[in-house]
Amino acid sequence: MATNNSLTDIAKKWIEEKSVQDARAEYPELISRFGCTKFISELASNYWTEQRKIYERISLAAPSANQSSNVSSIAVYYYRLRNGGIERVISHLLPIWLNLGYRIILLTEEVATDDDYPVTQNIERVLLPKVTQCKAANYQYRANAWENIIAEYQIDAIVYEAWDSAFLFWDACMIKGLGCNLVVGVHGTYTYLFREQVRQRFDLLRAYHLVDCAVVLSRSFGGFWNHFCPSRYIPNPVYLCPSEDCSALTEEMILWVGRFIEEKNPKDAVRAFAKVKSSAPSSSLIMLGTGEPEVVNSVKTLARELGLESSVLFPGYHKEIADYYKKASVLLFTSSFEGFPMTIAEAKSHGLPIVMYDLPYCEMVRDRRGIISVPQGDIAGLAHSLQNYLALDVKERLALGKASRESAESFAAYNQKAAWKELFESLAAPSKSAFSNKEFDVEFLLDNIEFGENKISNYLSEVLVGKDWLEQHSAEQEHWIGELQSGKDWLEQQIQGQERRINELQKENESLRHISGWLKTKFRDLREK
């Protein structure tokens, strides 16, 4: 049984009774007294959904102990290393960091598979407990792993690539509490966080107050993230294929590459191609990749329903796809949002023009070289652009392809080593508070957005309560209707019984009449005799 001096009671008092100012002042003492792993695990166990209360009490009170020394050992974390743009980027970054002289540890939640992107043998891979197994009271297993890994490998900085993870807050509490620098690779757009599929967006954004640096993939994103933590623009590495491997652009092969998930709109690609097929009967669409089974099946079903079975092909997932780029004549890109799409980078490297839904903030789209874009959701626009492109002669196609390749060359020339070296060296000096020099109070904005959403949630809750009340009373009414129906059925049975009795009495009465008539006849006969 817990006493007033138990960790559970102390954590409860720290959260529920201390002022924010007093709690901030006390936090380092609690970490020192109980240890970061034990204290954060206690908070996660009992206050998993109350991250805001915790962040307010630690966000300004957990400087990294290692910020006074140079970074020499780095761990990079992501769930896996296969079948995705982030995973491919990590495989490109690892040798860059290794060549800078840093010791690199790769942290994943999955063991290596044959589908993984290649990793140099000089990099050790260590497993973290899966997020799916470490929620709330089970977070202690993940906390212990962070402590052991950081201590055993003497990690100075974590590069955390799961930028939109619901676990970022708790992992940040651990990483910072253990005196380690934290860099987050932001692989998407900040607008993504305000979409329905990330319900913890407010907690997630506030977790960035604990981050030393956010690496963003578009210059236009930096202003937003600077309200939460320092940010740096470093584009993903772009590698050029040999010029002889560039596409000749002579075929009528359209290439689509990506994971089969809703936000990449694979069905839009099929619907657009159906319109193209009518004017370019020899054209084909190759849809390369895999994804959610229900999405894959629905796309295949759509192609079949549109009579495109023979011209829309699904080769599945391939780790090496250079041959597909080389054979294609145009890339079709239908994503709703992206950070720095490696598919576009690879297509441009192979000199492929790109017909796409516009993503004007993407750095490789902003220069417009090799890009033919239409507004988001404009399937007819995609089809029209593809038809116009396929109608061009080879010389005109090659001019677009040349512009696309030149765009890739400019990104390939970016000095990745210098940018990352400067970032890691900057971690040796304490970073400025994310709460200073704000041009705009984003926290105030978030508070009001969250307040509005809570009002909507409360209203919906009231609607649900009313719905439950109606359903309950409807059930009661149905019960009484059932009772009345049973009574009606009983009465009908009684009436039917009475009717049968009346019929029987009528028959008996008729029989008595016959007997009475017979007796009268017999009595008359006796009198006459």
Side-chain angles (χ1 to χ4, degrees), residues 485-503:
Q485 184 65 45
S486 298
K488 178 175 174 288
D489 292 343
W490 180 84
L491 288 172
E492 287 178 348
Q493 290 174 2
Q494 295 300 313
I495 291 170
Q496 290 172 0
Q498 292 295 331
E499 288 176 348
R500 285 195 299 272
R501 182 59 180 160
I502 290 170
N503 290 334

Side-chain angles (χ1 to χ4, degrees), residues 61-176:
S64 290
N66 285 345
Q67 285 184 331
S68 61
S69 59
N70 293 327
V71 172
S72 60
S73 185
I74 297 167
V76 56
Y77 161 71
Y78 196 62
Y79 310 111
R80 56 190 170 271
L81 204 65
R82 59 180 175 81
N83 188 28
I86 296 176
E87 296 89 335
R88 186 185 292 268
V89 169
I90 293 171
S91 72
H92 289 163
L93 288 173
L94 292 175
I96 293 173
W97 298 336
L98 199 63
N99 288 336
L100 284 170
Y102 296 110
R103 181 190 185 189
I104 307 298
I105 305 297
L106 175 61
L107 306 179
T108 64
E109 297 177 13
E110 292 184 4
V111 297
T113 71
D114 292 338
D115 291 333
D116 279 11
Y117 294 111
V119 175
T120 177
Q121 293 181 351
N122 295 332
I123 295 175
E124 186 172 351
R125 185 166 179 167
V126 179
L127 292 182
L128 270 176
K130 292 184 177 181
V131 291
T132 54
Q133 301 169 352
C134 294
K135 188 176 181 180
N138 290 327
Y139 185 74
Q140 59 180 316
Y141 301 113
R142 191 171 172 96
N144 285 329
W146 278 119
E147 182 175 23
N148 293 336
I149 290 169
I150 289 172
E152 180 179 352
Y153 296 97
Q154 297 182 327
I155 303 298
D156 303 307
I158 305 288
V159 180
Y160 197 100
E161 304 287 7
W163 72 281
D164 60 345
S165 170
F167 276 64
L168 172 58
F169 173 79
W170 296 104
D171 287 347
C173 288
M174 279 300 307
I175 292 166
K176 298 300 294 179

Side-chain angles (χ1 to χ4, degrees), residues 252-256 265-287 299 302-304 306-314 330 332 334 355 357 378-387 390:
E252 291 193 325
M253 175 180 150
I254 302 165
L255 181 64
W256 185 96
N265 302 306
K267 287 185 178 180
D268 287 11
V270 175
R271 293 188 177 102
F273 177 70
K275 300 177 183 294
V276 173
K277 188 69 174 174
S278 61
S279 61
S282 61
S283 60
S284 62
L285 172 63
I286 309 299
M287 302 194 72
V299 176
L302 177 62
R304 186 168 58 251
L306 295 174
L308 301 171
E309 301 99 317
S310 61
S311 51
V312 179
L313 305 179
F314 300 91
V330 62
L332 177 58
T334 53
V355 173
Y357 283 153
D378 186 4
I379 295 174
L382 288 177
H384 183 67
S385 297
L386 287 168
Q387 288 168 331
L390 293 176

Side-chain angles (χ1 to χ4, degrees), residues 383-411:
H384 183 67
S385 297
L386 287 168
Q387 288 168 331
N388 287 344
Y389 173 78
L390 293 176
L392 297 175
D393 60 35
V394 174
K395 184 178 179 180
E396 292 172 309
R397 291 187 187 183
L398 287 173
L400 284 170
K402 182 174 183 292
S404 194
R405 170 77 175 193
E406 288 173 348
S407 174
E409 288 172 348
S410 66
F411 280 91

Side-chain angles (χ1 to χ4, degrees), residues 318-333:
H318 288 257
K319 191 160 54 175
E320 299 297 333
I321 58 177
D323 286 344
Y324 285 96
Y325 286 119
K326 187 175 181 178
K327 294 175 182 176
S329 288
V330 62
L331 177 76
L332 177 58
F333 198 79

